[in-house]
C-alpha cells in the first residue's frame, strides 16, 4: 500500500469540520455580504467584520441571530479555514503578514470548494452500493487531498469549474447506484412521492409525512417547505436549498450528500433524525 493510499484510508470527516480555534477568522474577513435577512450590514470581501476580535474570535457569537447575523450561524467552511491558516500559510495570520493578506483571502474560497468535494467524496467512497466505482472515487479522493496541500500560487492554477464538474460525474453515478439499490430493496412498497429530477421548485411545498426515500432532490428548492415527519432516507440532497425548511420529526439518516450548512439553514427539533456525521444546530429547540 502506498503512503498516499494509507493517508487516504485514514482520512475521515472529522478533519472537515470547522475548527474556529485554529482559524484566523477567514470567513469573517475574506467573504463579502450585503445587508439582508441574513446579515445586519454590508461588508466587502477582505474587510474584517466589526465584531471580529483581535484574537480572531467573534465578539457576539452567542447572540448572532438576535443581532441579525443569521448568515453566520448557517455558514460552514468544511474545515477550509483551519487548513488555509495552519497548513497553507503555516500559522502566519493576515495581521502578522499583511503583504500576503489579499492572497490568503483569495485562497480561502478555493480551499473551501476542495474541502466541500472531500466531504462528498469521503461519503461516496464509504457507500457499499457504489462499489463498482470505488477505485474511481478513491483516485478522485486522493487527487483532491493532493490539491489541498498545494502552495497558494499552485492553487490559483487549479481549474475549479472543470474539476468540480468531473467529480460531480462520479457523485451522480454514486447517487444512482445507491438509490437504485435502495429502490430494489423496497420494491412493491407504496406511498412514494414522485419528485421531478434536479432543480425541482418545491418552495413552500406541503410534504408533511411524505415518503421521499431514494428520491433525487439534487439542487431542489426546498425553501420553507413543510417536511415535518418526512422520510428522506437515501434521498440525494446535494445542493438542495433548505433555508427555513421545516424538518421537525423528519428522518434524514442515510440521506446522501447532506451538509452541515444545509442543516443549519433549516428548522428542526429534537425528533429530527440526522446522519451521524452532522451536528444538531444550537438554534434548534431542544
Amino acid at each position: 500500500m502506498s503512503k498516499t493510499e494509507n493517508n487516504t484510508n485514514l482520512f475521515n470527516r472529522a478533519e472537515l469540520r470547522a475548527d474556529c480555534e485554529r482559524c484566523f477568522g477567514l470567513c469573517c474577513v475574506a467573504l463579502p455580504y450585503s445587508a439582508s435577512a441574513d446579515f445586519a450590514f454590508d461588508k466587502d470581501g477582505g474587510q474584517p467584520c466589526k465584531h471580529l476580535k483581535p484574537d480572531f474570535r467573534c465578539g457576539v457569537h452567542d447572540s448572532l441571530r438576535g443581532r441579525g447575523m443569521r448568515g453566520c450561524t448557517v455558514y460552514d467552511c468544511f474545515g477550509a479555514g483551519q487548513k488555509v491558516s495552519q497548513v497553507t500559510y503555516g500559522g502566519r495570520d493576515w495581521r502578522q503578514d499583511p503583504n500576503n493578506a489579499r492572497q490568503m483571502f483569495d485562497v480561502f474560497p478555493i480551499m473551501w470548494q476542495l474541502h466541500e468535494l472531500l466531504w462528498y467524496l469521503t461519503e461516496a467512497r464509504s457507500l457499499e452500493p457504489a462499489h463498482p466505482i470505488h477505485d474511481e472515487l478513491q483516485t478522485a479522493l486522493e487527487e483532491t487531498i493532493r490539491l489541498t496541500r498545494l502552495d497558494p500560487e499552485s492553487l490559483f492554477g487549479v481549474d475549479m469549474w472543470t474539476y468540480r464538474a468531473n467529480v460531480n460525474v462520479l457523485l451522480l453515478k454514486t447517487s444512482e447506484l445507491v438509490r437504485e439499490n435502495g429502490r430494489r430493496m423496497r420494491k412493491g412498497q407504496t406511498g412514494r412521492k414522485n419528485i421531478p429530477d434536479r432543480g425541482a421548485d418545491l418552495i413552500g411545498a406541503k410534504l408533511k409525512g411524505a415518503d421521499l426515500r431514494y428520491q433525487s432532490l439534487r439542487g431542489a428548492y426546498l425553501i420553507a417547505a413543510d417536511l415535518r415527519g418526512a422520510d428522506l432516507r437515501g434521498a440525494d440532497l446535494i445542493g438542495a436549498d433548505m433555508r427555513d425548511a421545516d424538518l421537525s420529526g423528519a428522518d434524514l439518516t442515510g440521506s446522501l450528500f447532506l451538509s452541515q450548512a444545509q442543516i443549519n439553514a433549516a428548522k428542526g427539533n429534537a425528533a429530527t433524525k440526522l446522519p451521524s456525521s452532522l451536528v444538531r444546530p444550537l438554534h434548534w429547540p431542544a
Side-chain angles (χ1 to χ4, degrees):
M1 179 181 292
S2 69
K3 183 176 180 180
T4 302
E5 288 174 325
N6 185 54
N7 287 344
T8 307
N9 287 336
L10 293 174
F11 187 84
N12 63 71
R13 280 182 156 188
E15 299 178 44
L16 301 175
R17 294 185 186 278
D19 185 352
C20 298
E21 296 290 328
R22 299 173 57 219
C23 178
F24 299 137
L26 293 181
C27 64
C28 305
V29 185
L31 306 180
Y33 51 74
S34 301
S36 62
D38 290 324
F39 296 101
F41 49 85
D42 296 328
K43 189 187 82 66
D44 294 330
Q47 172 190 350
C49 172
K50 64 183 182 182
H51 297 306
L52 185 66
K53 296 166 63 178
D55 62 0
F56 304 111
R57 298 181 184 225
C58 175
V60 296
H61 179 74
D62 294 335
S63 58
L64 284 167
R65 290 201 159 221
R67 292 173 178 268
M69 302 300 287
R70 168 182 156 168
C72 296
T73 68
V74 171
Y75 181 77
D76 183 75
C77 74
F78 294 100
Q82 66 258 27
K83 174 64 76 62
V84 172
S85 299
Q86 302 301 329
V87 178
T88 311
Y89 286 89
R92 302 188 316 276
D93 68 65
W94 48 272
R95 284 180 174 141
Q96 293 174 321
D97 192 4
N99 291 331
N100 282 324
R102 183 71 261 175
Q103 183 190 66
M104 186 180 295
F105 302 153
D106 290 341
V107 163
F108 176 59
I110 298 173
M111 189 66 74
W112 181 91
Q113 292 186 73
L114 290 171
H115 271 231
E116 181 188 25
L117 294 179
L118 283 179
W119 179 265
Y120 297 141
L121 285 167
T122 303
E123 177 179 344
R125 181 62 181 80
S126 72
L127 299 170
E128 182 56 34
H131 179 76
I133 60 170
H134 272 184
D135 287 347
E136 294 175 77
L137 289 167
Q138 181 73 16
T139 298
L141 181 57
E142 291 177 3
E143 175 60 11
T144 307
I145 291 173
R146 185 189 72 81
L147 292 177
T148 67
R149 295 169 179 165
L150 293 175
D151 59 71
E153 291 75 15
S154 298
L155 280 167
F156 290 134
V158 178
D159 182 349
M160 283 306 307
W161 191 92
T162 299
Y163 192 73
R164 287 184 69 97
N166 291 337
V167 170
N168 189 57
V169 171
L170 288 176
L171 298 178
L172 181 57
K173 287 182 180 178
T174 299
S175 173
E176 292 170 345
L177 287 167
V178 173
R179 291 186 297 109
E180 176 58 32
N181 180 72
R183 288 192 295 266
R184 195 164 53 243
M185 292 177 65
R186 63 184 291 261
K187 187 176 181 180
Q189 295 184 29
T190 58
R192 172 183 168 86
K193 183 81 174 181
N194 290 314
I195 303 296
D197 201 14
R198 189 164 185 86
D201 184 353
L202 297 169
I203 298 175
K206 307 300 182 184
L207 296 168
K208 182 179 179 181
D211 182 356
L212 299 170
R213 282 177 290 176
Y214 305 109
Q215 291 273 14
S216 175
L217 292 167
R218 294 171 67 90
Y221 295 96
L222 290 164
I223 302 169
D226 183 357
L227 290 161
R228 288 175 295 168
D231 192 342
L232 290 150
R233 288 175 293 172
D236 185 347
L237 293 167
I238 195 169
D241 190 337
M242 302 176 73
R243 284 175 291 170
D244 290 324
D246 194 341
L247 300 173
S248 299
D251 190 348
L252 294 105
T253 55
S255 58
L256 301 175
F257 307 132
L258 186 62
S259 72
Q260 188 65 52
Q262 288 172 296
I263 290 299
N264 291 346
K267 299 176 181 178
N269 62 9
T272 305
K273 297 179 181 178
L274 297 174
S276 60
S277 58
L278 299 179
V279 178
R280 192 174 303 276
L282 294 176
H283 55 268
W284 283 12

